[in-house]
Amino acid sequence: MLLEVKDIHVHYGKIEAIKGISVEVNEGEIVTLIGANGAGKTTTLKTISGLRPLTSGSVIFDGQDISKMPGHKRVEAGLGQAPEGRGIFPGMTVHDNLLMGAYARSGDVSAELTQAYELFPRLAERRTQFAGTMSGGEQQMLAIGRALMAKPKVLLLDEPSMGLAPLLVKQIFEIIEEINRRGTTVLLVEQNAQQALQLAHRAYVLETGSIVKSADASALLDDPAVRAAYLGGDLGEPSPNGQH
């Protein structure tokens, strides 16, 4: 087991956002968390990467309890994250943004730079361009490329398709599949349930801070309740009665 989240509870003030979630990610897998807005998906990722403190429970990574480890130490241990909203440095060039992803590493990072530019040829074309002037899709590629610069064992991806045109979404998901094929384990939070379930090996369904289903992704694609709740369109789109 490469990553194990055990019965975590997380609070924002007095509000319990995560109510005892347990998630397992084996080496080489793509695992996805799906659920409507406010289900707790992003909070779960932030807790794993050290951006949110646990109230109780534990996060075990590569055999080590990292529950109290600072976020930057988790990056050094092998957890990389491309955050929701991308979080690129707009006033820095593409190249310098990528180098920021390797801040925790010493030594030569040219092999990782080469891989990032190979995975994302668009970034290679724009390596001297300021990141803030790029399109949303290009910024998403940069966020993923930057996370890969740390050579993570597990890549945490938070809403990589958000705000992107369908053609770009397809391209981003193909790149995620290629990253996994090259040996990086992926934990994916995604509003586009259809795409996520087609890509992932296993999936967890979150509702209001709890896991309500977990199964092979292909089984959840065929699950009538999941289809009715999440596969009529992108998650987060209001249903006809105005509810998520």
Side-chain angles (χ1 to χ4, degrees):
M1 187 75 54
L2 188 51
L3 176 65
E4 189 175 6
V5 176
K6 295 165 112 172
D7 192 27
I8 62 167
H9 293 254
V10 178
H11 286 74
Y12 287 91
K14 293 197 167 123
I15 297 164
E16 189 173 33
I18 301 292
K19 306 166 184 173
I21 282 178
S22 295
V23 172
E24 296 180 350
V25 183
N26 295 303
E27 189 168 352
E29 284 190 309
I30 300 176
V31 174
T32 187
L33 310 179
I34 63 170
N37 286 337
K41 307 184 301 296
T42 290
T43 300
T44 300
L45 280 200
K46 284 183 171 177
T47 305
I48 293 168
S49 62
L51 297 174
R52 290 290 323 165
L54 284 165
T55 307
S56 63
S58 59
V59 179
I60 313 294
F61 177 60
D62 210 10
Q64 182 182 7
D65 189 334
I66 62 167
S67 307
K68 292 187 168 58
M69 184 185 280
H72 67 282
K73 292 287 187 191
R74 298 188 196 197
V75 174
E76 291 172 15
L79 273 175
Q81 182 166 6
E84 182 183 23
R86 296 156 200 152
I88 50 114
F89 300 102
M92 292 169 66
T93 65
V94 166
H95 192 76
D96 286 343
N97 264 275
L98 289 173
L99 289 177
M100 286 298 287
Y103 77 93
R105 296 182 49 210
S106 55
D108 185 21
V109 296
S110 56
E112 286 68 49
L113 271 172
T114 300
Q115 175 178 273
Y117 286 136
E118 182 198 335
L119 277 168
F120 302 103
R122 189 75 59 85
L123 297 185
E125 292 165 16
R126 288 165 167 60
R127 67 179 74 197
T128 59
Q129 187 171 328
F130 288 118
T133 64
M134 299 200 305
S135 72
E138 290 162 350
Q139 290 184 12
Q140 185 60 64
M141 292 174 189
L142 181 56
I144 296 172
R146 185 183 60 191
L148 288 173
M149 288 295 294
K151 287 187 78 172
K153 294 173 186 167
V154 176
L155 177 62
L156 309 175
L157 294 175
D158 195 354
E159 305 285 13
S161 79
M162 185 183 279
L164 301 185
L167 199 62
L168 269 173
V169 172
K170 182 173 180 287
Q171 192 178 351
I172 291 286
F173 275 87
E174 285 170 355
I175 290 166
I176 295 167
E177 193 169 23
E178 177 60 25
I179 290 166
N180 179 248
R181 197 180 294 121
R182 293 181 181 202
T184 304
T185 303
V186 176
L187 179 58
L188 169 70
V189 156
E190 182 51 62
Q191 290 244 268
N192 190 325
Q194 183 91 32
Q195 293 269 15
L197 292 174
Q198 286 170 346
L199 176 74
H201 300 104
R202 292 188 302 107
Y204 294 84
V205 181
L206 272 65
E207 283 179 15
T208 57
S210 301
I211 288 169
V212 293
K213 280 180 187 282
S214 67
D216 287 346
S218 56
L220 288 180
L221 262 178
D222 295 329
D223 183 308
V226 172
R227 291 194 71 83
Y230 303 120
L231 302 181
D234 283 359
L235 287 176
E237 292 291 325
S239 57
N241 61 9
Q243 297 178 330
H244 283 301

